Amino acid sequence: MRPTLSLLALHLATSSSPVLAATAGSFADGGNTLISAMMMFLGNEEKVYILDKAEGNAAQINGHPAWGAVWDFATHQATAMDVRTNVFCSSGMHLPNGSFVTFGGNGAVGPGGNLGSQLNPGGYSASWDATYQDFDGTKAIRVLNPCRNSDSFSSTNCQWYDDPTVLSMHNSRWYSTAEPTAEGNVVIIGGFVNGGYVNRNYPNVDPEHEGGAADCTYEYYPPTSATPQTFQFLIKTSGLNAYAHTYLMPSGKMFVQANISTVIWDHTTNSETPLPDMPGAVARVYPASGATAMLPLTPANNYTPTVLFCGGSDMPDYAWGNYTYPYINTWEYPASKDCQRMTPEPQDGSTPAYEQDDDMLEGRSMGQFVILPTGKLLVVNGGLNGTAGYSQATLVTPSFNLMPYGESLASGPVGTPAIYDPTAAKGQRWSNKGLSTSSIARLYHSSAILLPDASVLIAGSNPNVDVNTSTIFPTTYQAEIFYPPYFSAGTRPAPTGMPQTLSYGGDPFDIVIPATSYSGSANDAADSTTVVIGRSGFTTHALNMGQRLLQLNNTYTVNQNGSITLHVSQVPPNANLFQPGPALMFVNVHGIPSNGSYLIVGNGQIGTQPTSAASTLPPNVRLSSVSGSASGSNSTDGSTTATKSNLGLIIGCAVGGVAALAIVGAIIGICLARRRRAAARRGPSAAYPMTSTAGGLAGAGGVAMGGRMVRASDSSAFIPLQHENHSQAWNGSTTTLNAPYKDDAGAGTKSMSMDYDPYSSSPMQPQGSPLGGGQQRRY
């Protein structure tokens, strides 16, 4: 018998998110995100950027539904942003200068998740849709320079750069993984070519290609001319290798986990060292979607990474089914509560092995870890039963009208967070004491991210092929903010002297904690103080790519006036520990964090990072007679602001390396001219329904299963490809800024010329595809 679904009744009785006080352990209203928050990342201390799949959101931008937005930390208000390609299930990562980049996604879709109106050659995916006006995103590389309120958001420098005719990957990738290197390059790993529930046919006789539906290669950002290499581990883990869990290790190699297998991988030589399998055959990657995080890197553990896996599913191999759907009713299968740790590169030379950790308080699929500034891990979201993904059928439930939870493959939303303490004794690491329960179901396509005040933004949930606000687990726009237990403190540290940049090694710096930031003994406060840098990463599908927290070494001087001067080291001189890019710095006193201060780690450029000797710190200076003078009022710090990056430089470096700014400007000018021409040609958009009706197979804009229509983003209607990749909207970019733009003339039918304007109102018709393209293939 599956666990009870008490939260479901609570959710159905609640029409909107509760508005709660900002008190410890509680949820509060986070506003309306305008789009369902499938993906989020913190752009700076003011803005969170949100991405959704292309779908019928009511929010409009430039005459079409929005699937991009920016959320303001101070006002909790969202503003729609224009994204041109379909971002559905892409990956993403930060860059050394604080910008962000996303990779891949889905082909163009229209209402109901149906293939877009203009099909790609072969008819298996679409290049554009006339209604939603989304373009094929399977090869797209999108770049964003986060802006602040002082900037003009109407400027192109504050908007998404999204033009795959100029900047794109070699291969089509959906559900790929992204992990940065010590130089700030990004390794883009694996993915589906065209999508489905799991990345395999069954029986699995072609694990490398799956008839053209899987991609077992990896490539890089900034793009290189090298042909993507095959990663053998992805062949071994065929089926359950989407969003593979990947962490850069101190050696520069990567720890990778997928299916039930584990490996240490040197991407520079493409060599692998097998590690033990996951105990209990518990799958953690999508769609099992266990919570996974690297534990904090601290002086106490000598900055040795340990990776924690909790939850997911131990469904037998057969049950995972194929691209079309699972072979069991997943919502009846309890999620795992098992937790395992592994230290992939132990410093004592021992053989890496999984270590049994404390079970979670309940099983969770789609649970998500957020590392708090205190070094504890918060887990939120997820379901007691089932998996991620959505479908309109399973092998044993062939009709949509028999699906008990709409298109959701999970049930039993878990609304109560829990906190994991990695330093506590075994048997005492989990607690949810004093934590409230949310009434909003956060299942498939939910997300969570740490905010600069050390609260947590929680948003999303949309186990539906298109917008559906009336189904049992609806498309969700209501955000919440969760306040961890440290918000019970009457006073928070208000340090001064927080830096704007950090280097790898070098001279230490001082931070001053005023006497008003704490009460009691100054020596005790100084002894308890830690300085950490944290990166919340790019969050999607219950994981945070790039998330990690590192504690900096520090000593202190207690001053006669009660202030405490912290002498703080730079980042250890190994960029593999904390890759270059943006971070928040927090100062914790007695387990209470300050507000986060935004900074850049490294030199802000892609390339080998300068290093110096590790910082040498003076000894502690204590004064026994000194105490703090905290009044009990909340305090804030003056968060610093990093220098803005230049979007033109980002694109220039990405597509051609170092080049003259005049040439960069020329390319941007071409792109802007195209957009202006498109805007001039675009007439008023036709009205069409943005929300779906309740119940029945057409509830999400779909059609009866008996009709057996192709729906590119609906796994229950997926046809496994039987030959090479059909997503040919754009070939991999061969741009160079050392010569005029020209795509590879030898690319045959895949080539793209400057004469083709992808933002025209009537995009180029692919050869062999019917005009209008809206008619769906029958099979």
Side-chain angles (χ1 to χ4, degrees):
M1 180 179 295
R2 61 180 182 270
T4 60
L5 308 180
S6 58
L7 178 59
L8 176 60
L10 181 60
H11 168 70
L12 292 176
T14 308
S15 60
S16 63
S17 173
V19 180
L20 302 174
T23 55
S26 73
F27 291 85
D29 184 1
N32 187 304
T33 57
L34 299 182
I35 62 174
S36 190
M38 180 188 298
M39 309 164 203
M40 295 195 299
F41 60 88
L42 181 70
N44 49 48
E45 70 279 13
E46 296 180 1
K47 302 293 182 180
V48 172
Y49 290 84
I50 304 172
L51 293 168
D52 190 6
K53 67 180 186 289
E55 60 180 332
N57 294 308
Q60 296 277 303
I61 183 76
N62 293 334
H64 65 83
W67 54 91
V70 56
W71 180 90
D72 186 81
F73 174 56
T75 66
H76 298 177
Q77 298 296 308
T79 302
M81 295 186 71
D82 198 10
V83 182
R84 302 314 313 274
T85 58
N86 191 353
V87 195
F88 188 14
C89 300
S90 65
S91 57
M93 191 50 61
H94 66 272
L95 297 177
N97 63 356
S99 298
F100 278 78
V101 60
T102 72
F103 307 104
N106 194 13
V109 299
N114 290 300
L115 294 179
S117 57
Q118 183 156 321
L119 300 180
N120 284 316
Y124 292 89
S125 63
S127 62
W128 185 71
D129 182 69
T131 304
Y132 285 177
Q133 298 181 31
D134 61 313
F135 292 82
D136 187 341
T138 55
K139 291 185 178 181
I141 297 176
R142 313 164 192 87
V143 182
L144 180 83
N145 174 37
C147 287
R148 295 178 170 81
N149 291 323
S150 58
D151 299 310
S152 172
F153 272 80
S154 61
S155 166
T156 55
N157 285 337
C158 293
Q159 300 297 313
W160 281 99
Y161 181 85
D162 185 10
D163 185 350
T165 65
V166 176
L167 187 59
S168 61
M169 295 184 293
H170 287 273
N171 292 359
S172 296
R173 299 184 190 274
W174 199 14
Y175 297 96
S176 64
T177 293
E179 178 70 4
T181 68
E183 295 76 29
N185 300 295
V186 182
V187 185
I188 311 161
I189 304 169
F192 294 56
V193 170
N194 204 9
Y197 176 60
V198 293
N199 200 8
R200 74 177 187 188
N201 296 303
Y202 194 89
N204 193 359
V205 297
D206 180 17
E208 181 174 0
H209 303 289
E210 301 295 350
D215 192 298
C216 291
T217 68
Y218 66 98
E219 58 184 288
Y220 291 92
Y221 179 89
T224 69
S225 59
T227 300
Q229 297 184 62
T230 298
F231 184 11
Q232 292 295 323
F233 176 77
L234 296 179
I235 301 175
K236 178 181 179 181
T237 57
S238 173
L240 295 175
N241 58 15
Y243 286 138
H245 297 303
T246 306
Y247 297 93
L248 186 68
M249 293 287 108
S251 66
K253 298 177 182 179
M254 293 185 178
F255 172 81
V256 189
Q257 198 282 323
N259 207 312
I260 61 171
S261 299
T262 317
V263 72
I264 289 285
W265 176 50
D266 186 338
H267 65 93
T268 63
T269 63
N270 197 15
S271 57
E272 306 174 23
T273 302
L275 297 178
D277 287 347
M278 184 65 67
V282 181
R284 315 287 185 172
V285 297
Y286 171 87
S289 299
T292 305
M294 178 186 288
L295 299 183
L297 299 166
T298 69
N301 61 34
N302 203 22
Y303 300 108
T304 304
T306 295
V307 181
L308 176 66
F309 300 87
C310 288
S313 181
D314 63 357
M315 292 195 324
D317 181 68
Y318 171 82
W320 293 105
N322 62 11
Y323 286 103
T324 306
Y325 45 46
Y327 284 0
I328 67 170
N329 290 336
T330 52
W331 57 85
E332 297 174 346
Y333 196 99
S336 173
K337 63 172 62 176
D338 175 77
C339 291
Q340 300 284 338
R341 291 186 181 199
M342 178 182 277
T343 301
E345 294 183 342
Q347 295 190 2
D348 62 3
S350 60
T351 301
Y354 280 103
E355 174 189 353
Q356 182 72 52
D357 210 332
D358 294 358
D359 282 352
M360 288 196 295
L361 301 179
E362 64 276 296
R364 287 188 198 232
S365 172
M366 298 168 285
Q368 182 171 351
F369 277 133
V370 175
I371 306 176
L372 302 177
T374 57
K376 296 180 180 180
L377 279 65
L378 176 75
V379 67
V380 295
N381 302 343
L384 295 172
N385 314 289
T387 70
Y390 55 72
S391 183
Q392 296 185 346
T394 71
L395 184 65
V396 293
T397 302
S399 173
F400 180 69
N401 61 9
L402 298 177
M403 297 280 285
Y405 301 103
E407 293 177 287
S408 175
L409 293 174
S411 65
V414 184
T416 306
I419 293 176
Y420 172 90
D421 184 349
T423 64
K426 277 191 174 183
Q428 302 177 37
R429 291 176 177 163
W430 283 103
S431 175
N432 61 7
K433 182 179 180 180
L435 305 186
S436 301
T437 299
S438 170
S439 62
I440 300 177
R442 302 286 185 188
L443 294 171
Y444 187 40
H445 292 155
S446 299
S447 54
I449 202 163
L450 185 74
L451 293 175
D453 68 346
S455 64
V456 177
L457 177 65
I458 301 173
S461 191
N462 187 21
N464 303 287
V465 69
D466 203 341
V467 171
N468 190 339
T469 57
S470 59
T471 187
I472 191 167
F473 296 132
T475 305
T476 302
Y477 301 107
Q478 182 65 48
E480 298 171 286
I481 297 175
F482 176 75
Y483 294 95
Y486 41 69
F487 275 85
S488 63
T491 300
R492 295 184 68 176
T496 60
M498 305 280 264
Q500 296 185 22
T501 61
L502 290 176
S503 60
Y504 294 102
D507 295 336
F509 57 94
D510 288 349
I511 293 174
V512 176
I513 302 173
T516 54
S517 287
Y518 69 96
S519 59
S521 164
N523 288 342
D524 290 347
D527 286 336
S528 75
T529 297
T530 58
V531 181
V532 300
I533 51 174
R535 180 177 289 149
S536 50
F538 180 94
T539 171
T540 187
H541 288 72
L543 58 98
N544 291 58
M545 298 181 197
Q547 177 176 227
R548 57 180 68 195
L549 184 108
L550 183 143
Q551 179 188 339
L552 300 175
N553 250 322
N554 78 273
T555 59
Y556 60 80
T557 296
V558 175
N559 303 309
Q560 192 64 50
N561 64 359
S563 66
I564 301 169
T565 301
L566 302 176
H567 314 294
V568 187
S569 69
Q570 300 285 343
V571 179
N574 180 358
N576 293 314
L577 294 175
F578 200 95
Q579 300 99 311
L584 293 175
M585 175 177 283
F586 295 90
V587 175
N588 300 296
V589 179
H590 291 308
I592 308 301
S594 68
N595 286 327
S597 181
Y598 181 89
L599 54 77
I600 293 289
V601 178
N603 66 2
Q605 301 175 23
I606 293 176
T608 301
Q609 299 296 302
T611 59
S612 302
S615 304
T616 300
L617 302 177
N620 293 333
V621 176
R622 302 166 63 85
L623 288 176
S624 299
S625 59
V626 178
S627 297
S629 58
S631 64
S633 61
N634 288 336
S635 57
T636 59
D637 79 330
S639 297
T640 57
T641 301
T643 302
K644 290 191 300 180
S645 56
N646 183 282
L647 183 59
L649 288 175
I650 302 166
I651 299 164
C653 178
V655 300
V658 178
L661 286 178
I663 302 175
V664 178
I667 287 183
I668 294 178
I670 292 170
C671 299
L672 295 178
R674 289 178 175 181
R675 292 174 187 246
R676 285 194 293 269
R677 293 197 306 271
R681 289 192 297 264
R682 186 181 299 124
S685 59
Y688 56 92
M690 283 299 193
T691 56
S692 48
T693 58
L697 189 54
V703 293
M705 283 293 289
R708 297 178 67 84
M709 308 292 262
V710 174
R711 185 174 293 105
S713 56
D714 175 9
S715 64
S716 66
F718 178 80
I719 303 176
L721 305 182
Q722 297 305 315
H723 40 86
E724 292 305 312
N725 176 13
H726 290 279
S727 183
Q728 299 179 10
W730 297 289
N731 59 298
S733 176
T734 56
T735 299
T736 173
L737 294 186
N738 297 316
Y741 176 83
K742 181 180 179 182
D743 256 317
D744 182 2
T749 59
K750 293 185 180 181
S751 63
M752 188 65 62
S753 75
M754 289 292 282
D755 296 330
Y756 169 49
D757 184 353
Y759 295 110
S760 67
S761 58
S762 299
M764 179 181 67
Q765 187 71 24
Q767 294 180 358
S769 73
L771 288 171
Q775 297 259 339
Q776 301 297 303
R777 284 180 69 254
R778 295 182 181 274
Y779 68 98

